[in-house]
Amino acid sequence: MRNAKNSADILRAAGDFYGRLYDTKPADGDLATAFLEGLNRVIEGGESDDPEMSIEELTRAVHSINKQKAPGPDGIPGEFYQTFWDLIKNDVAEVFQAIYRERRLVIAADQTCSIPERSINNNLLLVRDVILHSQEHGSPLGLLSLDQEKAFDRVSHRFLQRVLKKMNFPQHLINWTNLCYQNISSRVLVNNILTDPFPIRSGVRQGCPLAPLLYVIYLEPFLERIRTSPGIPGYQLPGAGGERLRVVAYMDDITIVGTDSRSITTATKAVDDYCAATGALVNRGKSELFLSGHWHETLTTSFPVKTETIKLLGITFQQDGGGIHQLGGDHLPRPTENLRVECTVPHDDG
């Protein structure tokens, strides 16, 4: 950028910078479609604009149930509902109508931001526990912490609309959301002087109560790609019935969990594809790959590698237990041994 020699130059430079930042980002439509095709989390009934379900609709549904089959996980068969329907129909209708009005968002448990009954502590404690387990058993563990550059500002309005549609949000709600971001502009105040207006074609407003909800929805296609990728088997959680941890997220703070070189390579490819599909930008130099346990293979990565500490959500996790004491953890065993790493980006110790 050329040197600004006077107030007019400074104003133009500021306006140009933010104009580019909030302009439409180049995006690969085919990759965007591929991410959306892999997203199977939807709001049931979202396409209807009717505010509630009627008792008549529920009555027809109940009498279409197989008497010997249980329509839900409680094991109560259809025969029960059909036999006692006149007695319970008003209560059942009230429950269904409340669910419909609330339209609880179908967001997987690994995203803990802006979701009722979830907390950032879930992420921190889970990361602490897998590090402790990895060190105790020597199991290879790679935590890829992604640093997204201006994550809120780079949200593609077009991709956000497509995600809302794919997740079956009601059209009137999508229309209202679009209205909030259509034909808007902004100006920058520099030394008490305003720049010329520039259009806002990307981003969600930081500080707006709706912004974190929209961003969490916007991120779901990427997180679903990580959750369902065969190349990312995840870290098996002890005592969790075979459950595996593949990713933890709090807003744009994303940590992908790898266990071998293939999973790190697959995760890296997913990151690159997502950036190409949406215009997102991951800062390679500030992102980090933290390795724990015993790795018996050479790992090639474009991310800075750490084997001593990693900072996630304001907490510094260390191989020797430091920092994890803030979360009530025990002292970690000794650092990783016999680790061989090939890294194409210099280590970032800052």
Side-chain angles (χ1 to χ4, degrees), residues 229-236 244-246 257-260 262-263:
S229 175
I232 306 176
Y235 193 94
Q236 185 163 348
R244 290 179 171 271
L245 181 65
R246 293 175 173 85
V257 181
T259 53
D260 54 22
R262 182 191 178 202
S263 60

Side-chain angles (χ1 to χ4, degrees), residues 110 127 130 141-147 222-223 225-227 229 231-235 245-249 253-260 262-272 274 282 288-291 295 303 310 312:
D110 47 43
V127 169
V130 295
L141 171 68
L143 300 178
L144 178 57
S145 174
L146 301 178
D147 181 273
F222 172 67
L223 297 181
R225 170 72 62 87
I226 300 299
R227 296 176 193 126
S229 175
I232 306 176
Y235 193 94
L245 181 65
R246 293 175 173 85
V247 63
V248 290
D253 195 305
I254 304 167
T255 302
I256 302 173
V257 181
T259 53
D260 54 22
R262 182 191 178 202
S263 60
I264 300 301
T265 300
T266 303
T268 302
K269 177 66 164 54
V271 170
D272 292 341
Y274 183 71
V282 169
E288 295 178 348
L289 176 60
F290 175 79
L291 299 177
W295 286 70
F303 293 97
I310 187 170
L312 302 173

Side-chain angles (χ1 to χ4, degrees), residues 11 14 18 186-195 198:
L11 285 174
Y18 285 102
S186 187
R187 305 171 80 178
V188 180
L189 185 66
V190 182
N191 295 331
N192 290 322
I193 304 174
L194 286 169
T195 66
F198 51 85

